[in-house]
Amino acid sequence: MTELNKKLLAAVEKMPAFPQSVNQVLKLTADINCSQRDLVEVVKRDPVFTLKILRLVNSAYFGLSREITSINQASVYLGLNTLKNVSLGLAAVGAIPKSAGKRMDMGGFWLHSLAVATATRMLGLKLGVSRDDAADYFAAGLLHDVGKVVFALYMPEEFEEATKRSAEPGVSFYQCERDVIGATHADIGAMLAQKWNLPVELHDAIARHHSIGSGEPSQLLDCLFVANQITKKLSFGSAGDFEVEPLPDSVKERFSMDMDELVEDLPTLDEEVENARIFIKLGEA
């Protein structure tokens, strides 16, 4: 193992683990034969987490017409995949140490992440993804930049240097990380995804969100890439990277639109991002 890899691994190991209940949810839902009853039983064993999920389900984010009073009802209304991703999103927000706020603007970071999550989900729905599967798209957007938090917390000098360099116009933060650290937030984010035992598609999205031309084509990855650029273009929050990258031809073909048309095609983005803020509020509580 190289010195750099040892350093990255040491940083990732310092990040808190998920609660046991969330680890069990991820383990159960990785099995295609997972039953609704089994999943509900696992969530119910953690009363604090149960309360958070119910508050989220009854918020404007889901906009349900009736109040949901039990996890059993929630699993019926939402579907197992959405329940899994809700659990995962809340756990990931809760796992970020409070000290991260001393190293980076966490308000700006979470606003950027929520906007990317919301736009990724909206783009997925436009391409015909089911509401339950669109929860994967939201989770990918919410966690795509989580590697930046690891750098800010546990490699602060290098992170600060990369941030300074990326302030120059036309310079990408991703390239500055590579120059200064020798690795990017996508690299260390993928390592954290392994530590947290995140699903394969989520690990892949975190690892490849700046390099969609490499590896197998992926609709989720294309939506995530576009959402990231739209969010930067519209200045939703900030995660240290202001450079709007051009859309590859393959992405334009998938959507049959250019960047400006895609932005126009998401008229309710502001409102939906506002509704999604509950994720951060409950996750940090």
Side-chain angles (χ1 to χ4, degrees):
M1 189 184 288
T2 66
E3 278 307 308
L4 175 61
N5 273 354
K6 280 184 194 165
K7 202 170 180 183
L8 296 176
L9 203 55
V12 167
E13 282 308 310
K14 288 176 188 167
M15 286 293 285
F18 277 179
Q20 192 183 357
S21 53
V22 179
N23 282 326
Q24 286 178 302
V25 166
L26 290 175
K27 199 171 179 182
L28 270 178
T29 51
D31 178 358
I32 53 165
N33 299 314
C34 164
S35 78
Q36 199 165 326
R37 193 178 64 189
D38 289 346
L39 188 61
V40 167
E41 283 308 310
V42 164
V43 175
K44 271 162 67 177
R45 279 183 222 141
D46 187 333
V48 174
F49 208 61
T50 296
L51 196 60
K52 285 186 179 187
I53 289 173
L54 289 176
R55 281 184 65 193
L56 182 61
V57 170
N58 287 304
S59 74
Y61 175 72
F62 282 105
L64 300 180
S65 55
R66 52 170 290 190
E67 188 183 4
I68 302 297
T69 55
S70 72
I71 285 294
N72 207 29
Q73 273 184 309
S75 68
V76 172
Y77 265 78
L78 302 182
L80 296 188
N81 194 50
T82 301
L83 187 56
K84 172 193 80 177
N85 280 295
V86 162
S87 304
L88 196 156
L90 289 172
V93 174
I96 303 298
K98 296 280 182 278
S99 54
K102 294 174 189 165
R103 299 285 184 187
M104 64 190 293
D105 169 14
M106 290 307 293
F109 173 83
W110 282 127
L111 179 55
H112 169 77
S113 301
L114 278 178
V116 174
T118 304
T120 305
R121 178 178 176 276
M122 291 169 82
L123 291 167
L125 289 170
K126 285 180 185 297
L127 292 177
V129 172
S130 73
R131 290 206 163 266
D132 198 22
D133 285 342
D136 291 331
Y137 286 56
F138 185 90
L142 187 66
L143 298 183
H144 76 288
D145 269 348
V146 73
K148 290 178 181 174
V149 179
V150 186
F151 278 155
L153 279 167
Y154 305 118
M155 298 174 71
E157 291 82 9
E158 295 96 321
F159 181 73
E160 203 175 314
E161 178 59 27
T163 304
K164 262 188 214 159
R165 290 193 190 189
S166 69
E168 294 290 321
V171 178
S172 92
F173 183 73
Y174 186 75
Q175 190 54 52
C176 292
E177 287 178 316
R178 190 166 271 157
D179 294 343
V180 174
I181 302 169
T184 69
H185 64 278
D187 299 325
I188 202 165
M191 292 167 81
L192 181 61
Q194 272 184 315
K195 174 187 163 84
W196 281 348
N197 293 316
L198 299 187
V200 174
E201 66 277 8
L202 198 44
H203 174 280
D204 187 51
I206 292 169
R208 292 173 55 207
H209 71 274
H210 279 285
S211 48
I212 60 169
S214 65
E216 287 292 305
S218 155
Q219 179 172 290
L220 189 161
L221 210 53
D222 283 357
C223 289
L224 176 57
F225 182 85
V226 171
N228 199 9
Q229 308 320 313
I230 287 174
T231 298
K232 287 187 282 187
K233 187 178 172 70
L234 298 178
S235 301
F236 269 105
S238 159
D241 189 358
F242 304 98
E243 195 61 25
V244 179
E245 298 168 56
L247 302 184
D249 290 341
S250 59
V251 173
K252 286 183 196 165
E253 279 167 31
R254 188 185 290 280
F255 290 97
S256 304
M257 290 183 193
D258 63 19
M259 177 72 87
D260 290 335
E261 289 167 327
L262 282 160
V263 170
E264 275 181 42
D265 206 37
L266 301 178
T268 60
L269 183 59
D270 272 42
E271 185 189 337
E272 295 198 32
V273 171
E274 199 52 45
N275 290 341
R277 280 182 185 268
I278 185 90
F279 261 94
I280 310 307
K281 191 177 168 187
L282 290 175
E284 289 183 333

